[in-house]
Amino acid sequence: MELTRDEEGILDGREGETRRRMMELLVGLGKVFGASRLIPIASAQVSGASYKTIGRWGLEWLESLDGKVTVPTILNPVGMDRERWREAGIPPEFAENQEKVLDVYRRLGVRLECTCTPYEILPTRFGQHLAWAESSAVAYANSVIGARTNREGGPGALAAAIIGKTPCYGLHLDRGRGPSLVIRVEGFSTGKTRPDHYGALGFLAGKLAGNRIPYFRGIRPLPDDLKAMGAAMAATGAVALFHVEGVTPEAGRWQPETGPLEVHTIGSAEVGDLLKGMEVEAVAMGCPHCSAAELAEIARLLRGKRARKPLFVFTSRWVLERNRPLLEAIEASGARVYADTCMVVSPMMDAYSSVMVDSGKAFAYVPSMCGAMARIGTREECIREATGTPGEA
Ligand code: F3S
């Protein structure tokens, strides 16, 4: 791997021990993945933020670092709402450790928006190189925006944030961004009994795609649908980029019918089968974090209703602070809207043995991360389950 003189100097420790370690990490990653050089990045997004997932060892590793990030860097959701953790039932000992994690990131200069939707906050443009770690944000950046990021691990993203560069391989290169299978979707958006569920579609598609790049035909998703789809595919597979014919910005560059690609079909009936389920103890929405439009839809669906089961909605503090009336409208039903955290990375959901979600990613992770059975439904079905009233279609 070719390094500039400045980069060699950092590797020799001329700019301190933390920068030396971070450069060593990036060079090591670059060698493993065959990168020829490092490239500057526009921003970073760092995972490994919830004390639930990193624990004591992760905290000790973070505490061993000093220095500062050199590009705009946003933290992933942590294990609790930083303002309302007591009412959410978070144990004080957990909160204390979570605060220590936050203190380290603050000291390193990381912005504490604590969200998996950094693209709501960081201006992110087509063709920019990034080092983002949260898998759903990576899928969104690559697929919906046309920016370029590999699916970084937490330490790799933090190293890139501190150095301001990342190894150039994989999705940073044109040749790494072509589709490797085609998924034809049948029965979506053609007049149906239930709304299209893009999270459930992503759940199924991720299993087909694994770590490959799928090219979709037969769907017309909106940006929040693409967000849900990408998050689910990143969970049941390791999809970091997907194309949707006529929708996503790079889809037009590829002509998958000319290549020897596998073709799969997913029908709306298969998606519908996934949505059948049992009664649950609690309902959680907002994976990935709700956009303002999604909060508005939830507020509309809840108007005049009361939550009879615990109903949680997760969003970023950035979105929440700009949409206080929506928070109030949702909470008027008895639901709770929390920021900074989510149903998967917080210990909140550990109190329930069954949880209904509207997200393909949460459906994949709630059983292993929260020890609860999971059911997936549309947003309307989630509201109906929580309120016990007929939902609006
Ligand atoms: Fe975000 Fe948590 Fe889902 S980090 S993508 S809301 S699992």
Side-chain angles (χ1 to χ4, degrees):
M1 194 169 160
E2 260 181 48
L3 298 182
T4 64
R5 285 171 72 153
D6 285 351
E7 290 163 356
E8 292 280 9
I10 297 171
L11 201 54
D12 289 344
R14 274 178 241 151
E15 295 185 14
E17 178 58 9
T18 291
R19 282 176 65 76
R20 188 198 65 73
R21 284 167 62 197
M22 298 297 101
M23 181 58 94
E24 194 173 67
L25 203 159
L26 293 179
V27 170
L29 280 172
K31 283 183 179 163
V32 167
F33 290 105
S36 56
R37 64 194 170 99
L38 297 175
I39 43 166
I41 52 169
S43 65
Q45 193 259 357
V46 177
S47 64
S50 169
Y51 188 73
K52 175 177 167 178
T53 54
I54 67 168
R56 189 161 62 91
W57 298 113
L59 174 58
E60 281 179 12
W61 184 79
L62 285 171
E63 283 177 333
S64 73
L65 304 176
D66 57 19
K68 289 276 181 204
V69 300
T70 56
V71 294
T73 304
I74 284 188
L75 193 61
N76 217 27
V78 293
M80 61 189 197
D81 185 306
R82 290 159 59 208
E83 292 180 4
R84 298 171 75 182
W85 60 268
R86 283 188 188 79
E87 71 162 68
I90 300 295
E93 190 192 342
F94 180 92
E96 195 181 317
N97 284 318
Q98 184 64 74
E99 280 301 337
K100 287 183 189 166
V101 175
L102 284 160
D103 282 346
V104 176
Y105 281 119
R106 191 181 291 111
R107 177 166 56 71
L108 293 171
V110 175
R111 292 172 55 169
L112 303 185
E113 272 93 359
C114 305
T115 183
C116 48
T117 56
Y119 40 84
E120 297 251 18
I121 302 167
L122 294 170
T124 305
R125 292 193 307 277
F126 184 90
Q128 277 182 331
H129 294 280
L130 319 169
W132 288 11
E134 158 53 35
S135 63
S136 68
V138 167
Y140 193 95
N142 280 312
S143 315
V144 186
I145 301 173
R148 297 184 171 210
T149 174
N150 286 316
R151 189 167 148 149
E152 302 289 349
L158 186 55
I162 288 173
I163 300 297
K165 294 180 180 178
T166 194
C168 185
Y169 69 93
L171 295 176
H172 291 287
L173 302 168
D174 280 349
R175 65 172 180 270
R177 298 179 70 83
S180 36
L181 79 159
V182 174
I183 299 181
R184 244 183 1 226
V185 183
E186 292 178 350
F188 264 45
S189 301
T190 53
K192 57 239 157 246
T193 52
R194 61 170 94 227
D196 295 332
H197 198 305
Y198 282 95
L201 173 63
F203 183 92
L204 296 172
K207 291 185 175 190
L208 285 174
N211 62 1
R212 294 177 292 170
I213 300 174
Y215 183 101
F216 286 88
R217 292 204 161 107
I219 50 174
R220 302 296 294 176
L222 298 170
D224 279 333
D225 300 326
L226 292 165
K227 172 175 85 169
M229 218 175 131
M233 284 192 283
T236 55
V239 173
L241 166 63
F242 61 99
H243 304 291
V244 180
E245 191 171 53
V247 176
T248 55
E250 290 178 68
R253 289 180 53 202
W254 312 102
Q255 295 181 319
E257 62 277 7
T258 62
L261 298 185
E262 281 174 37
V263 179
H264 297 268
T265 302
I266 297 177
S268 55
E270 239 179 298
V271 174
D273 284 347
L274 209 61
L275 302 175
K276 294 174 184 151
M278 71 285 179
E279 217 185 304
V280 296
E281 291 177 2
V283 177
M285 294 187 282
C287 169
H289 276 168
C290 281
S291 64
E294 290 171 318
L295 287 181
E297 193 195 349
I298 293 169
R300 178 182 68 78
L301 291 167
L302 278 170
R303 195 176 301 140
K305 297 184 181 133
R306 284 296 302 166
R308 297 183 191 171
K309 293 182 178 182
L311 170 58
F312 303 102
V313 178
F314 296 94
T315 187
S316 67
R317 191 158 297 285
W318 174 274
V319 167
L320 190 65
E321 279 171 358
R322 285 156 182 77
N323 295 278
R324 284 272 161 197
L326 292 176
L327 165 98
E328 284 155 23
I330 293 170
E331 295 208 333
S333 71
R336 285 290 166 266
V337 182
Y338 290 121
D340 311 318
T341 187
C342 80
M343 68 284 271
V344 170
V345 301
S346 159
M348 284 170 62
M349 291 299 139
D350 300 0
Y352 305 103
S353 63
S354 53
V355 179
M356 184 170 183
V357 295
D358 64 342
S359 151
K361 175 168 177 174
F363 184 53
Y365 282 168
V366 160
S368 57
M369 294 289 290
C370 310
M373 286 187 293
R375 172 183 167 194
I376 183 170
T378 62
R379 220 161 266 148
E380 289 83 351
E381 289 165 337
C382 285
I383 301 276
R384 197 179 309 150
E385 178 71 21
T387 61
T389 55
E392 293 175 50

